[in-house]
Amino acid sequence: MKNLFAFAAVATTCIYSVFPQDARAETLVDAVYNAVSNSEARKAAISGIEAQGRMITIAQGDKRAQVNLFGSVAAEWVDDPTLDAADNRDTKFARFIGVDVQVNLLDGMRAMNRIYREATLLDAEIIRLSDATETLALNAIQAYIDVVRHRNIVEASRRNLARHGEISRQVAEKVDAGKLSEADRFRANDKLLAAQLALAESEAQLGDADSQFELVTGKRPTSTLSRAFHTHTPPSREAVETAAVTNSFQMRLAQTDIQAQTYQGAIDEADWKPRLDAFVGADIGQNQEGARGTDSTIAAGVRLNWTLYKGNTREATRARNRDLLIRAHYRLKQVENEVRDFARRAWNSYDSARERKLLLDRSVSTNELIVEAFRQEFEAAKRPLLQVLDAERALFNLRIRQINASAAHHYQGYRVLAAQSKLSDHFGLTKEGRALNADFEDRVKSAPMDRFDVSAPALE
């Protein structure tokens, strides 16, 4: 049986899967795009990116001019001998209103470090979306391959049932002619029932695969899934491991956590540095401080605010930030170990699947020859029925294993790409799926007060 997952050149560094071409067929690329575009998790991640982008604008507000409107209305009773006798100890309705403009001149780099931190957290949100896109793509690949795998199994089961139906008819004719015993009829019918059961089970499993496909991609699979694909697999496990560490989104997330914590430490340290603000303001009031009449004030100058002592909170804050930074570095190392382990296991699974497929291809070819020889010998009354039925069962089981091995080989090739964070590039999702480049920390450092567009483009 020709397997729809057969690879055209297993000796090369590429693996291929060729399907019948059909203009109406849904391709693996279609399935991946549907999975990404219909994902609620992706939509939520994009909303998170846009929200974090606005945090940069909010942080920039600390470096912009602040306009304050203030005022009060109160009943006042004042005892002040310096007041006129008519005003002293007389309750009056006092009121005033004013406005001032304040600009920060010096704050220990608190505002700038806050902007840098928010930009770093924005980069982290974008990296999370990129990582989620890789996972969505791999899930779609698995669902697509699983549907094709189960369709192949159903087809193999149908051919197996047809073959056992043919054997049962031949046996019935020979039993009626007195060439075989009644027990042979029972044996043939028993294997026919087993073939019917295998078909029923395979059809049920195909239904489950179709449901999983719909869950992952948002659409039912079309009647034909066809397209040729290939995955470029590095020549060695070491190459996969190196690429995985270099490209890992999880490691980039851990690195942004270190950077964000560094900025947070600088923000907290600014609490013990002098703050200097320039201001200009004006106010107008009536019946202020017990005196009848209207007065107004215009003022301009600078204000100093410097916290010199606040218990032992400064040292405690420094120690906390130092511990959090150490934790972030340990977390980075832990993630690196996990990425290396996943890359090694992905390569091992791919290499093992490739070997199993080659062996099963040879085994199926050999058993096809054996079954054909047994059939001819059975027709010539040189081979008992039981051996023919056993050979048919062995061939059917091998074909199912071959289908599973071919599907695993194909899937593991894509899993190796996923281990290296390369699925988005492979399927052309670099621009659309990742939405934005995670470079806002550098962009903010170059132009900290610019406006930044963080809207994600729709998938094409």
Side-chain angles (χ1 to χ4, degrees), residues 152-170:
N152 286 343
I153 291 174
V154 167
E155 182 60 29
S157 299
R158 287 173 178 164
R159 288 199 294 269
N160 182 58
L161 177 59
R163 175 57 187 156
H164 278 285
E166 178 185 347
I167 292 174
S168 293
R169 287 191 296 272
Q170 291 175 345

Side-chain angles (χ1 to χ4, degrees), residues 197-319:
L197 178 60
L199 175 59
E201 291 176 346
S202 65
E203 289 176 336
Q205 291 170 355
L206 175 59
D208 291 342
D210 286 344
S211 296
Q212 181 66 21
F213 184 96
E214 184 175 9
L215 176 65
V216 172
T217 68
K219 296 182 179 180
R220 296 284 293 179
T222 57
S223 59
T224 304
L225 302 179
S226 67
R227 182 76 186 269
F229 292 104
H230 63 277
T231 57
H232 298 285
T233 304
S236 66
R237 188 182 72 176
E238 290 72 21
V240 173
E241 185 177 339
T242 299
V245 172
T246 301
N247 301 328
S248 171
F249 292 123
Q250 290 296 320
M251 288 192 62
R252 291 178 63 189
L253 273 176
Q255 289 163 351
T256 59
D257 187 32
I258 292 173
Q259 196 65 16
Q261 186 56 49
T262 301
Y263 290 133
Q264 183 60 53
I267 293 170
D268 292 339
E269 189 66 24
D271 289 343
W272 285 274
K273 294 181 179 180
R275 178 184 175 95
L276 195 64
D277 297 317
F279 72 92
V280 58
D283 64 70
I284 183 170
Q286 194 170 25
N287 301 335
Q288 299 295 301
E289 298 180 352
R292 284 186 175 86
T294 301
D295 59 78
S296 59
T297 302
I298 298 176
V302 293
R303 296 189 185 98
L304 173 66
N305 190 341
W306 191 354
T307 300
L308 298 178
Y309 181 74
K310 194 177 179 181
N312 65 344
T313 56
R314 183 175 188 179
E315 290 306 316
T317 301
R318 283 176 170 175

Side-chain angles (χ1 to χ4, degrees), residues 319-365:
R320 181 205 63 186
N321 287 331
R322 184 168 57 249
D323 291 341
L324 291 175
L325 197 56
I326 291 172
R327 183 184 70 174
H329 279 284
Y330 277 123
R331 175 57 182 161
L332 174 60
K333 184 60 178 177
Q334 178 187 354
V335 170
E336 180 181 350
N337 292 336
E338 292 171 353
V339 167
R340 289 184 183 277
D341 178 65
F342 179 71
R344 289 191 292 263
R345 287 187 291 109
W347 169 261
N348 291 339
S349 296
Y350 165 77
D351 198 43
S352 175
R354 176 175 55 185
E355 183 67 19
R356 286 199 309 273
K357 180 188 177 299
L358 289 172
L359 293 174
L360 282 166
D361 286 346
R362 295 171 187 169
S363 185
V364 167
S365 297

Side-chain angles (χ1 to χ4, degrees), residues 7-262:
F7 297 99
V10 296
T12 67
T13 59
C14 301
I15 58 175
Y16 297 88
S17 180
V18 182
F19 305 98
Q21 298 303 306
D22 189 322
R24 297 167 299 170
E26 181 173 11
T27 69
L28 182 55
V29 173
D30 294 331
V32 169
Y33 270 70
N34 286 335
V36 173
S37 61
N38 294 327
S39 169
E40 300 300 328
R42 179 179 183 273
K43 295 173 185 176
I46 290 174
S47 295
I49 289 173
E50 293 172 348
Q52 184 58 41
R54 289 176 175 83
M55 288 300 297
I56 295 178
T57 303
I58 293 171
Q60 288 171 336
D62 293 343
K63 295 296 292 181
R64 301 187 189 278
Q66 179 177 320
V67 180
N68 302 303
L69 179 67
F70 53 90
S72 69
V73 176
E76 290 185 351
W77 183 90
V78 178
D79 184 4
D80 184 354
T82 63
L83 294 174
D84 293 341
D87 289 337
N88 194 33
R89 298 186 177 184
D90 181 37
T91 301
K92 302 177 185 63
F93 188 57
R95 51 203 179 272
F96 83 99
I97 189 170
V99 63
D100 71 12
V101 180
Q102 178 178 304
V103 179
N104 175 253
L105 301 177
L106 182 69
D107 66 352
M109 289 293 290
R110 179 188 182 91
M112 294 305 300
N113 280 303
R114 186 185 173 199
I115 294 172
Y116 298 157
R117 184 194 64 183
E118 300 303 338
T120 301
L121 294 177
L122 174 58
D123 287 342
E125 291 294 332
I126 295 170
I127 293 169
R128 285 191 183 93
L129 175 58
S130 300
D131 190 49
T133 301
E134 293 283 304
T135 301
L136 289 168
L138 188 61
N139 289 343
I141 291 166
Q142 185 176 29
Y144 184 98
I145 291 175
D146 216 33
V147 170
V148 177
R149 177 172 72 92
H150 282 291
R151 287 183 180 181
N152 286 343
I153 291 174
V154 167
E155 182 60 29
S157 299
R158 287 173 178 164
R159 288 199 294 269
N160 182 58
L161 177 59
R163 175 57 187 156
H164 278 285
E166 178 185 347
I167 292 174
S168 293
R169 287 191 296 272
Q170 291 175 345
V171 169
E173 292 173 359
K174 290 181 181 294
V175 171
D176 293 340
K179 296 180 180 179
L180 293 176
S181 68
E182 194 66 30
D184 288 327
R185 188 200 304 271
F186 294 149
R187 290 192 187 96
N189 288 338
D190 179 62
K191 298 302 181 183
L192 179 62
L193 289 172
Q196 292 172 336
L197 178 60
L199 175 59
E201 291 176 346
S202 65
E203 289 176 336
Q205 291 170 355
L206 175 59
D208 291 342
D210 286 344
S211 296
Q212 181 66 21
F213 184 96
E214 184 175 9
L215 176 65
V216 172
T217 68
K219 296 182 179 180
R220 296 284 293 179
T222 57
S223 59
T224 304
L225 302 179
S226 67
R227 182 76 186 269
F229 292 104
H230 63 277
T231 57
H232 298 285
T233 304
S236 66
R237 188 182 72 176
E238 290 72 21
V240 173
E241 185 177 339
T242 299
V245 172
T246 301
N247 301 328
S248 171
F249 292 123
Q250 290 296 320
M251 288 192 62
R252 291 178 63 189
L253 273 176
Q255 289 163 351
T256 59
D257 187 32
I258 292 173
Q259 196 65 16
Q261 186 56 49
T262 301

Side-chain angles (χ1 to χ4, degrees), residues 346-404:
W347 169 261
N348 291 339
S349 296
Y350 165 77
D351 198 43
S352 175
R354 176 175 55 185
E355 183 67 19
R356 286 199 309 273
K357 180 188 177 299
L358 289 172
L359 293 174
L360 282 166
D361 286 346
R362 295 171 187 169
S363 185
V364 167
S365 297
T366 300
N367 275 264
E368 285 175 343
L369 296 175
I370 293 172
V371 167
E372 183 59 31
F374 278 22
R375 288 176 185 173
Q376 294 174 6
E377 291 173 1
F378 173 69
E379 291 293 332
K382 296 179 180 179
R383 179 73 58 177
L385 174 64
L386 184 59
Q387 291 185 8
V388 174
L389 293 175
D390 287 344
E392 289 282 357
R393 181 187 61 193
L395 178 59
F396 173 70
N397 290 338
L398 281 171
R399 282 172 173 164
I400 299 303
R401 292 177 64 188
Q402 181 190 40
I403 291 170
N404 291 334

